[in-house]
Amino acid sequence: MNAPGKLVAVELRYALEDLYARYVKCLDDAAFDAWPEFFTEDCRYTIRSRENHDRGYPLALLDFESRGMLKDRVFGITQTLYHQPYHQRHVVGPLLVCPGDDGSITVEASYAVFRTKQNELSEVFNVGRYVDVVVEDAGALKFREKRCIYDGALIPNSLIYPI
Amino acid sequence: MNAPDKLADGAAAVWNTGRESRVPYRVYTDEEIYKRELERLFYAGHWCYVGLAAEIPNHGDFKRTFIGERQVIMVRDADGGINVVENRCAHRGVVFCQQNFGNAKDFTCPYHQWNYDLKGNLTGLPFRRGVRVKCEDGSAKVNGGMPADFKLEDNGLAKLKVAVKGGVVFASFDHAVEDLDSYLGEVKPWFERAFGEGRDGRGLKILGYSRQRIPGNWKLMQENIKDPYHPGLLHTWFVTFGLWRADQRSEMVTDRHGRHGAMVGYRNSGGRADVTQGVSSFKEHMKLQDERVLDVVPEAWWNGPTACMQTIFPSLIIQHNVNSVSTRQIIPLGPNAFDFVWTHFGFADEPEEMTRRRLRQANLFGPAGYVSADDGEVVELSQDGFLQREGGNTVCELDGTGTGGAPHNVTETLIRGMYAYYRKVMEL
């Protein structure tokens, strides 16, 4: 944890704000082919319930260990998984930025995802927090880890697109 | 049966098709039929799944869950035994336990502090003997108190009959239910293959839970896992990677009543074959960028088959598909929805690498899984169709109209068998 009062450089904070803004726009625009590019090659991406997280159970809804697995998921959601199409809208809260000693940055932020199906009202779909590790990779900030920890254990039927 | 019964138009009017191969849409949507299902299938005559013994390893550990719509608590007592009691205080009906998991010395209702031991016996309550007060004239008297003939032993929690087999805990509100082995009947060997001591007696290691609320009738999920015809059509991953398809060696097993099922399959190598012709979900050129998700390692206990999907009527599905194993509990919520709770597990003494493999393969299953998310979606769409207007029925006539097992997977026989049994018990 960052010591209270220790300031994060303004440029870094802006760069992170920009990263998150671009990340959620990618998902909300359903530009899924661009999604794996936000991650490092050896990334870790999980969507895991708060229940499993708090009780120390490793099971996640999605548990990916490389950018390749993210690309496989994109193929899955665009080519193989039958589902009723829906729009996502992410709202991300303030970033809690904690630079580590090794140059990586831990970022934690609340998120809410709304789902809008065709001919349906918008609904709260998934609410939780990101616990991420961001690193500089070839001159750009990328996620080495992105752990989505959702509060409500129940998924409203299915979860198809990334959070 | 003491349920209010308003199916006034009679069984013949409800099951107007006259045969189990054609299920009237009404049985998926009707409130009165649903109430009768709760009474006859979930609360009487049947065993329901409540959990795994490994979820409550220590004295006092408990888990809250549901049988039908009733909340129950599975708890391990000081003797190491597992009890299941209803989460409902005998005094005013308070649903006193508000944690899904925990550890307790005893249970106390918050309202008037009625206290129960871990077997559900009432051990005491405040002011049972009244409150002693001094009167103005110096004498003493006792105010209140329970009647002299009030007996603690007559006022415990509702205690369920419990059976634990291979670390799987079942319970029933019906103390006259047949013993579990007899209940499992002809699918017992498949149950024991997954859990029995015949395998090697190892303990289970809980990996975690997935929970989803599916807006469809609960029976549709029983049907989904009694339907070996859809996986090779709906699920691209199954057909493309040869995990489950119409040309593989397989066997459909059911019990003498037709209520339980086991779909047993042997994975083949995948690739092009006649069976993939015209199957739009087959993707010839599909290749994984990272193949670790399908890094299958055969395990000794499989004893051949790479998959065995069991349906233990009415509330449980047992999944073995390659290295991913789980229980899936069906919790009905009215005729039009159910909660589906997955408990993934491994084995206590396995290497970390094998646990990691199971967790990777878990990407195929659950509410987001490559071969499961779409099951929830199509169940919802079936229900939407049922609700669209009155009338109509399913057509489950692949491989004829008979019931019983089958030596292949191009069949809907297990679904017909379940409904033949259902009609008998439901008197429809």
Side-chain angles (χ1 to χ4, degrees), chain A residues 23-38:
Chain A
Y23 181 82
V24 301
K25 178 176 168 55
C26 168
L27 297 181
D28 293 347
D29 288 353
F32 298 123
D33 286 338
W35 173 62
E37 303 311 317
F38 284 91

Side-chain angles (χ1 to χ4, degrees), chain B residues 129-416:
Chain B
R129 309 279 180 216
V131 176
R132 198 175 179 80
V133 292
K134 263 195 180 140
C135 304
E136 281 178 23
D137 64 4
S139 65
K141 66 168 183 171
V142 174
N143 287 337
M146 298 299 278
D149 62 354
F150 178 84
K151 290 196 176 69
L152 293 178
E153 55 268 34
D154 294 341
N155 289 278
L157 300 172
K159 299 172 188 175
L160 283 75
K161 188 168 178 182
V162 177
V164 184
K165 185 176 173 67
V168 186
V169 186
F170 293 86
S172 180
F173 280 94
D174 181 356
H175 285 257
V177 68
E178 69 191 294
D179 76 78
L180 184 65
D181 278 357
S182 148
Y183 183 75
L184 294 173
E186 290 74 9
V187 303
K188 185 167 82 92
W190 294 101
F191 184 92
E192 289 173 345
R193 168 179 172 274
F195 295 106
E197 302 205 347
R199 199 186 64 242
D200 56 11
R202 289 178 300 170
L204 304 181
K205 174 162 81 176
I206 307 296
L207 301 181
Y209 304 94
S210 290
R211 301 171 191 269
Q212 59 189 135
R213 179 159 295 172
I214 299 179
N217 184 272
W218 67 272
K219 297 188 292 299
L220 290 170
M221 191 47 77
Q222 279 282 339
E223 288 181 33
N224 184 263
I225 309 296
K226 285 177 155 72
D227 166 8
Y229 161 40
H230 84 279
L233 298 169
L234 176 64
H235 306 309
T236 299
W237 273 61
F238 273 156
V239 61
T240 303
F241 299 121
L243 288 169
W244 189 280
R245 45 192 251 185
D247 58 349
Q248 70 177 11
R249 182 181 160 202
S250 49
E251 188 185 353
M252 301 303 116
V253 182
T254 184
D255 68 314
R256 63 194 173 285
H257 299 288
R259 56 193 175 188
H260 313 310
M263 308 197 301
V264 183
Y266 297 75
R267 182 189 185 197
N268 62 22
S269 55
R272 181 175 279 286
D274 286 351
V275 73
T276 62
Q277 297 284 323
V279 172
S280 62
S281 54
F282 178 70
K283 309 266 183 207
E284 192 176 2
H285 300 296
M286 179 174 169
K287 196 177 171 317
L288 293 177
Q289 303 270 335
D290 189 329
E291 294 184 330
R292 284 180 293 174
V293 172
L294 277 182
D295 171 30
V296 175
V297 171
E299 298 177 66
W301 64 270
W302 295 0
N303 202 19
T306 55
C308 176
M309 300 295 300
Q310 295 173 64
T311 39
I312 307 300
F313 192 81
S315 70
L316 176 63
I317 288 156
I318 299 165
Q319 170 206 330
H320 157 224
N321 206 316
V322 288
N323 299 116
S324 181
V325 270
S326 72
T327 59
R328 309 176 185 173
Q329 182 184 9
I330 295 170
I331 303 172
L333 298 163
N336 298 310
F338 62 98
D339 282 352
F340 202 35
V341 180
W342 306 58
T343 306
H344 283 255
F345 58 89
F347 302 105
D349 60 354
E350 71 191 17
E352 188 50 37
E353 183 196 347
M354 181 54 98
T355 301
R356 190 65 236 149
R357 179 175 290 112
R358 296 191 203 287
L359 291 165
R360 267 186 212 120
Q361 290 180 20
N363 283 303
L364 273 69
F365 304 100
Y370 288 119
V371 297
S372 293
D374 30 18
D375 285 322
E377 292 286 304
V378 294
V379 162
E380 178 175 351
L381 298 178
S382 277
Q383 193 74 17
D384 286 349
F386 300 155
L387 290 165
Q388 205 150 285
R389 63 182 160 84
E390 285 192 12
N393 55 261
T394 68
V395 179
C396 295
E397 299 185 350
L398 191 72
D399 193 30
T401 55
T403 59
H408 60 84
N409 68 19
V410 193
T411 181
E412 290 173 310
T413 183
L414 297 181
I415 298 176
R416 294 188 291 270

Side-chain angles (χ1 to χ4, degrees), chain A residues 51 63 65-66 72 157-158, chain B residues 211-212 289-290 360 377:
Chain A
E51 173 185 28
D63 189 341
E65 296 161 279
S66 67
D72 290 333
N157 202 347
S158 63
Chain B
R211 301 171 191 269
Q212 59 189 135
Q289 303 270 335
D290 189 329
R360 267 186 212 120
E377 292 286 304

Side-chain angles (χ1 to χ4, degrees), chain B residues 16-83:
Chain B
N16 54 12
T17 64
R19 44 195 169 148
E20 39 273 4
S21 65
R22 304 226 163 188
V23 184
Y25 291 165
R26 182 175 167 188
V27 305
Y28 302 96
T29 60
D30 187 298
E31 288 281 350
E32 296 305 324
I33 291 173
Y34 173 71
K35 279 183 198 161
R36 193 185 279 191
E37 289 173 350
L38 287 179
E39 292 298 332
R40 298 189 184 186
L41 307 179
F42 287 90
Y43 303 149
H46 297 78
W47 287 102
C48 285
Y49 172 82
V50 283
L52 299 172
E55 294 176 274
I56 51 166
N58 304 310
H59 168 213
D61 284 351
F62 67 83
K63 171 193 177 181
R64 175 172 67 158
T65 183
F66 291 82
I67 289 180
E69 295 193 350
R70 297 178 182 168
Q71 283 195 26
V72 298
I73 304 165
M74 160 176 104
V75 58
R76 194 180 285 273
D77 63 31
D79 311 328
I82 292 176
N83 308 302

Side-chain angles (χ1 to χ4, degrees), chain A residues 11-66:
Chain A
E11 292 80 0
L12 174 60
R13 177 170 279 282
Y14 270 121
L16 289 166
E17 296 278 1
D18 182 61
L19 173 68
Y20 279 77
R22 285 187 291 110
Y23 181 82
V24 301
K25 178 176 168 55
C26 168
L27 297 181
D28 293 347
D29 288 353
F32 298 123
D33 286 338
W35 173 62
E37 303 311 317
F38 284 91
F39 294 83
T40 62
E41 183 56 47
D42 63 345
C43 64
R44 186 70 185 272
Y45 177 86
T46 63
I47 302 179
R48 186 162 158 233
S49 68
R50 184 175 184 161
E51 173 185 28
N52 286 342
H53 178 266
D54 288 353
R55 301 193 65 213
Y57 289 134
L59 183 73
L61 287 186
L62 294 176
D63 189 341
F64 299 140
E65 296 161 279
S66 67

